Amino acid sequence: MATQPLTESEARALAERVLDLSQADEARVNLRSSRETNTRFANNQITTSGDVSDATLTVRSVFGRRTGTATTNRFDDASLRRAVETSERLARLSPEDPEYMGQLGPQAYPAAAEPWFESTAALSDEQRAAAARLITETARSRGLVATGFIPTRAASEAVATSAGLFAYTRRTSVALTTTVRTPDGRGSGWAGTNVFNWQDLDVRALAGRAADKAESSRGARPVEPGRWTVILEPTAVGSFVGFLMGALSARSADEGRSAFARPGGTRLGERLLDERVTIYSDPADPALSAEPFNSEGLPNRRMVWFERGALRSLQYDRYWAERQGVGPTGFADAYAMSGGAASVEEMIASTERGLLVTRFWYMRSVDQRSILYTGLTRDGTFLVERGRVVGPVQNLRWNESPLNVLANIEMLGVPQPVLRSEAGETGAAALMPALKVRGFRFTSVSDAV
């Protein structure tokens, strides 16, 4: 039978057992435990169901500036002793790490929202199956074919050091994604989201949205590439904001290797985006529920990364912060972008000619110095003319940077939760608005649906 993640008392006791075995100058224990379940469906029927529980312990041993790690998922005394001894042996063989910062002692953690919901942690196979059935029956009743994935996760994480630090957190999350297609495979629609609480998931609404897009995308025709006004739904916006957040390394900027570098310094304080754009992360925000600490036990805290379009913060780890004479920052594993009040329908009504984009796919980096990426539209791309959607269009390849996209905003919608990955895994949250953007660069037409 599947087991639940380690409790705080269980994690503390296990970490203390390992630290008591250590003969190193310093040691750190990282504990991760989880129960993960999933249901897959395809061709309007469930194909697989899974339920996996696991826990891993990683011990880092340090002699001077030499470090070594070993990992185990067996917690009997002999296995724990073997992991400690292996990490110590590897540490003695390793070269010195000139950037090693030492293990942290006790930390003060700000109040954080703990996204733990029993409705998700105790979710049954039957409940996931019922959700899948609702989607497939919706598709079947309309002569469509549904596929999808429903993964859930209940997890805990703990960090303990020989210097006296102990930190613990736990969370639940569930994702649901579905792609609905026409029987001939020429029309495709997608819908998906990520939530912490299973009860917040509106399966019927997601099923209907994907089916509507599949029906509407029949008979797609090509349009010319070039610069277009686009209406990006929240999931598509999240892709570009994710590219931006991944480029916030202070070290890369200071060393002249990023889009936020300038001769002799960084671009901190410069307005780089539309002045209506503010992006922040905050572990105390229950809608985001960012991790309260990192693998070192370093506390996370509220950070405003962009404020009214200006770059306000870069991300400093402990080493680079000490070298630059500043404090280490929080980290953006969950974040939100400010929005407005416009609906997608209002954006469409205000557009003389443009494209409505559901989401992107197969996104890859082209140039990190400008945060330039390429990718494809997918699962519902539509032509807008004179304030209304006039029909589906074939997918297009684009080459764009979030610095351009988020600087050329015309209208903003209300932020809502979106998935953080193409594949639909559970994980940290992002809150994104829909956007109407001018001058979006498409480079070619794609025949793929």
Side-chain angles (χ1 to χ4, degrees):
M1 181 176 179
T3 59
Q4 292 296 328
L6 294 171
T7 65
E8 182 171 359
S9 60
E10 290 170 336
R12 185 187 293 273
L14 184 54
E16 289 175 352
R17 285 169 60 195
V18 173
L19 292 174
D20 286 344
L21 294 170
S22 175
Q23 300 297 312
D25 297 340
E26 296 179 287
R28 186 177 82 221
V29 175
N30 289 90
L31 270 166
R32 293 179 173 86
S33 62
S34 64
R35 179 196 178 202
E36 298 184 0
T37 71
N38 67 81
T39 297
R40 294 183 185 272
F41 52 98
N43 295 322
N44 287 340
Q45 59 185 334
I46 291 174
T47 57
T48 63
S49 179
D51 192 329
V52 178
S53 296
D54 195 14
T56 60
L57 181 150
T58 299
V59 56
R60 176 179 294 270
S61 296
V62 186
F63 294 96
R65 289 182 171 271
R66 303 176 189 273
T67 68
T69 63
T71 299
T72 182
N73 62 357
R74 299 178 63 177
F75 299 155
D76 58 276
D77 289 343
S79 296
L80 294 177
R81 181 174 289 103
R82 189 179 306 113
V84 171
E85 291 172 350
T86 300
S87 68
E88 292 178 351
R89 184 170 66 254
L90 292 172
R92 291 188 177 95
L93 293 171
S94 299
E96 290 191 346
D97 179 358
E99 298 183 6
Y100 177 68
M101 293 299 297
Q103 296 304 311
L104 290 170
Q107 301 291 302
Y109 295 103
E114 183 181 75
W116 179 271
F117 295 91
E118 289 299 327
S119 66
T120 305
L123 194 68
S124 68
D125 298 343
E126 290 78 11
Q127 288 174 289
R128 298 196 314 276
R133 188 182 310 114
L134 176 57
I135 296 170
T136 58
E137 289 180 352
T138 299
R140 186 182 294 108
S141 70
R142 297 168 65 168
L144 303 169
V145 180
T147 63
F149 187 40
I150 310 174
T152 78
R153 190 167 192 265
S156 70
E157 182 173 353
V159 184
T161 72
S162 56
L165 177 147
F166 180 80
Y168 174 90
T169 187
R170 62 177 186 165
R171 66 177 53 221
T172 57
S173 58
V174 56
L176 190 156
T177 60
T178 181
T179 301
V180 176
R181 290 197 167 188
T182 58
D184 61 7
R186 295 186 178 183
S188 183
W190 177 92
T193 192
N194 184 89
V195 296
F196 303 111
N197 184 352
W198 172 258
Q199 295 177 351
D200 291 339
L201 199 59
D202 191 338
V203 179
R204 189 177 300 278
L206 289 171
R209 190 182 313 148
D212 289 345
K213 284 184 178 290
E215 290 181 333
S216 300
S217 62
R218 284 187 170 108
R221 298 182 178 183
V223 294
E224 68 279 9
R227 296 283 183 180
W228 282 81
T229 293
V230 294
I231 298 162
L232 303 177
E233 295 193 2
T235 296
V237 175
S239 298
F240 277 98
V241 175
F243 301 152
L244 191 67
M245 302 307 287
L248 286 173
S249 165
R251 183 171 187 170
S252 294
D254 288 332
E255 293 178 344
R257 297 183 286 111
S258 88
F260 303 123
R262 62 173 176 79
T266 70
R267 303 179 72 180
L268 279 168
E270 290 186 34
R271 188 167 78 82
L272 305 176
L273 313 176
D274 184 284
E275 65 180 7
R276 291 168 290 181
V277 174
T278 293
I279 302 173
Y280 69 92
S281 56
D282 186 356
D285 186 338
L288 293 175
S289 297
E291 294 282 359
F293 52 84
N294 69 2
S295 61
E296 295 180 280
L298 183 71
N300 199 0
R301 57 191 174 91
R302 176 179 170 84
M303 294 293 299
V304 177
W305 305 100
F306 292 86
E307 184 176 29
R308 296 185 60 81
L311 177 64
R312 291 302 181 201
S313 305
L314 292 168
Q315 188 167 305
Y316 288 85
D317 61 21
R318 292 173 62 206
Y319 170 76
W320 199 249
E322 182 177 272
R323 178 162 171 168
Q324 299 301 100
V326 299
T329 64
F331 44 92
D333 73 318
Y335 43 80
M337 175 177 158
S338 58
S343 66
V344 170
E345 291 73 22
E346 289 170 330
M347 296 179 190
I348 292 169
S350 70
T351 302
E352 180 63 23
R353 192 167 191 266
L355 296 174
L356 171 63
V357 177
T358 298
R359 68 166 183 149
F360 298 127
W361 183 255
Y362 210 72
M363 296 166 283
R364 297 294 182 267
S365 174
V366 175
D367 176 23
Q368 284 299 316
R369 287 294 301 272
S370 59
I371 325 181
L372 181 66
Y373 276 74
T374 188
L376 298 163
T377 65
R378 183 170 180 173
D379 298 322
T381 307
F382 303 94
L383 178 63
V384 177
E385 289 185 332
R386 295 182 294 278
R388 64 187 185 91
V389 175
V390 297
V393 300
Q394 288 183 3
N395 288 311
L396 296 123
R397 175 169 291 281
W398 49 266
N399 276 34
E400 266 296 359
S401 165
L403 295 174
N404 295 330
V405 173
L406 299 179
N408 293 322
I409 295 171
E410 293 188 358
M411 299 174 73
L412 297 93
V414 177
Q416 58 184 272
V418 299
L419 289 165
R420 287 271 302 277
S421 76
E422 295 178 3
E425 293 91 348
T426 59
L431 296 178
M432 295 291 127
L435 296 179
K436 180 180 174 182
V437 174
R438 62 184 175 273
F440 191 97
R441 183 172 179 240
F442 291 103
T443 59
S444 62
V445 177
S446 170
D447 290 334
V449 175

